[in-house]
Amino acid sequence: MVTNDDPVGVAILGCGRIGRLHAQVLTSRVPGAYVASVFDPETTAARVVAEQSGATVADSMQAAIDAPGVGIVAICTPTDHHLENIEAACAAGKAVFCEKPIALDIEQVDAAVRIVQETGTFLHVGLNRRFDPSHAQVAKAVEEGVIGDVHLVRITSRDPAPPPVEYIRQSGGLFLDMTIHDFDMARFVSGSPVVEVFARAGVRVDPMIGEAGDVDTAIITMEHENGALTAIDNSRKATYGMDQRVEVHGAKGSASSDNMRVNTASISTDRGTQLEVLENFFLERYYESYVEQWRAFLTALASAKAPPIPIDEGRAALRVGLAAQESLRTGLPVRL
Ligand SMILES: NC(=O)c1ccc[n+]([C@@H]2O[C@H](COP(=O)([O-])OP(=O)(O)OC[C@H]3O[C@@H](n4cnc5c(N)ncnc54)[C@H](O)[C@@H]3O)[C@@H](O)[C@H]2O)c1
């Protein structure tokens, strides 16, 4: 039994961008947990994280999971490895923190759902943006009825620069890798599941992304079960930083969360007003959400509550992403 007085060891599988970030967050901001072991076939990546967090470097996934003190497995590997990681962590009786998306197809997600149910595993899906303090305020205003029946949701989600093409190839592409956050955000702030998706997309940023079989610019419209309509716009490249805006418009008013700047200074002269640039990328813009996510995870685990984002919520976001891919392929809206 994990309690708040009893720090729990985390095995981090995958020490790339997000594995490093979770290790840093756990080491510096989350007193209830520590990084106990790490595994990455790129041994240099594993060593860097181990040195920063005081963890041991394991020579296999299983050794990391079985290392002394480990109660939680954090899955930060490329998405096509998540299912094998989930199987091993569940078999070992550990709690699981699995990065989004759970997998790249619904069959694999359903296999994961079965394993989680059969073993009674506490598994949380890392759709971290729900824990962003500003987006969470918007969702809370909707939940409390402050803005009344939801009519419209608008989400702008643009990255400062695309990831390497090799990453794009194995990530599942724009809808499953990047827009999946926005599909989940739409469901979160509207309080209602998505029932229809229509996607238009193109390659406007980098022809290499098109050659890798993906798109980099998209507009997606969706209908929710409660009748609300959502519009999402995505780009893999915004020259001015990470552009993240959410607005919910309803019968009694609207709620929105705006971009975050590096600082709030504004310099005004007779030629105009100059503001600081936006936070550069997800590591900076969403840092607090990663901290809050771990705190929510540990609180739920210690009090034997359901995980903050259970596997069926992760499954729902993936289904919307797959439907968006189908819509793009066929040119037609897709009912879920
Ligand atoms: N929630 C978020 O904001 C967020 C942000 C970025 C990535 N992600 C997700 O995290 C996952 C990893 O993405 P990333 O950007 O860190 O990728 P990355 O390519 O930067 O890192 C992946 C790491 O995993 C290692 N790896 C490969 N096979 C492995 C295996 N079998 N066992 C252990 N490690 C292995 C690689 O060597 C690499 O160091 C993806 O599922 C991605 O969708 C989530």
Side-chain angles (χ1 to χ4, degrees):
M1 167 80 179
V2 175
T3 71
N4 286 333
D5 307 327
D6 182 13
V8 55
V10 180
I12 295 190
L13 307 180
C15 299
R17 292 187 302 174
I18 203 72
R20 273 198 306 276
L21 176 89
H22 286 310
Q24 191 193 62
V25 165
L26 286 166
T27 307
S28 60
R29 298 282 304 276
V30 183
Y34 65 99
V35 186
S37 63
V38 298
F39 171 64
D40 192 307
E42 295 289 335
T43 47
T44 311
R47 267 204 305 275
V48 168
V49 173
E51 271 165 28
Q52 284 169 355
S53 57
T56 59
V57 178
D59 59 8
S60 69
M61 167 186 72
Q62 198 60 51
I65 293 172
D66 294 339
V70 170
I72 298 166
V73 176
I75 299 175
C76 307
T77 52
T79 304
D80 52 356
H81 289 282
H82 289 183
L83 181 58
E84 71 196 55
N85 299 152
I86 290 172
E87 283 168 346
C90 291
K94 309 296 180 184
V96 179
F97 178 115
C98 181
E99 265 306 339
K100 49 52 62 177
I102 303 162
L104 296 178
D105 63 53
I106 218 68
E107 290 74 23
Q108 289 210 1
V109 173
D110 286 342
V113 170
R114 275 195 301 279
I115 296 161
V116 166
Q117 282 170 353
E118 281 165 17
T119 53
T121 300
F122 178 101
L123 183 145
H124 164 86
V125 184
L127 288 158
N128 58 294
R129 295 185 190 179
R130 287 193 188 202
F131 302 89
D132 175 76
S134 305
H135 299 333
Q137 274 294 106
V138 172
K140 186 162 173 272
V142 174
E143 199 188 336
E144 291 174 349
V146 177
I147 66 158
D149 273 354
V150 177
H151 296 176
L152 287 171
V153 178
R154 283 168 58 108
I155 299 175
T156 289
S157 181
R158 303 175 197 158
D159 280 354
V165 170
E166 300 71 51
Y167 175 88
I168 285 181
R169 277 208 184 87
Q170 63 174 2
S171 69
L174 186 83
F175 294 155
L176 302 192
D177 178 48
M178 178 174 157
T179 326
I180 194 145
H181 283 293
D182 310 315
F183 297 138
D184 183 61
M185 185 56 61
R187 194 245 174 285
F188 179 52
V189 297
S190 69
S192 178
V194 173
V195 293
E196 188 177 282
V197 186
F198 179 60
R200 295 297 304 268
V203 179
R204 306 290 299 150
V205 173
D206 185 349
M208 297 270 286
I209 293 176
E211 283 161 29
D214 199 13
V215 289
D216 55 34
T217 306
I219 289 187
I220 300 135
T221 57
M222 311 197 294
E223 186 187 333
H224 295 260
E225 201 174 81
N226 64 3
L229 300 173
T230 285
I232 298 171
D233 78 81
N234 286 145
S235 171
R236 284 283 196 190
K237 186 173 170 70
T239 52
Y240 49 90
M242 195 179 193
D243 190 354
Q244 298 287 300
R245 288 170 278 155
V246 174
E247 183 192 4
V248 184
H249 173 71
K252 295 201 280 185
S254 82
S256 63
S257 48
D258 210 341
N259 277 315
M260 278 173 55
R261 296 182 187 279
V262 169
N263 64 52
T264 59
S266 72
I267 314 292
S268 296
T269 67
D270 59 354
R271 296 170 63 191
T273 298
Q274 190 182 328
L275 302 175
E276 264 297 347
V277 290
L278 302 186
E279 289 284 19
N280 181 52
F281 210 176
F282 66 90
L283 300 176
E284 297 89 13
R285 166 62 184 83
Y286 282 112
Y287 197 84
E288 287 308 313
S289 76
Y290 297 109
V291 174
E292 289 305 321
Q293 178 176 226
W294 272 110
R295 290 181 177 163
F297 179 102
L298 292 169
T299 302
L301 184 62
S303 50
K305 288 197 179 135
I309 304 186
I311 196 162
D312 54 326
E313 292 284 310
R315 183 183 188 278
L318 183 76
R319 276 189 75 211
V320 181
L322 293 168
Q325 286 183 336
E326 187 186 334
S327 172
L328 183 61
R329 216 168 31 244
T330 60
L332 298 170
V334 175
R335 291 300 288 183
L336 286 155

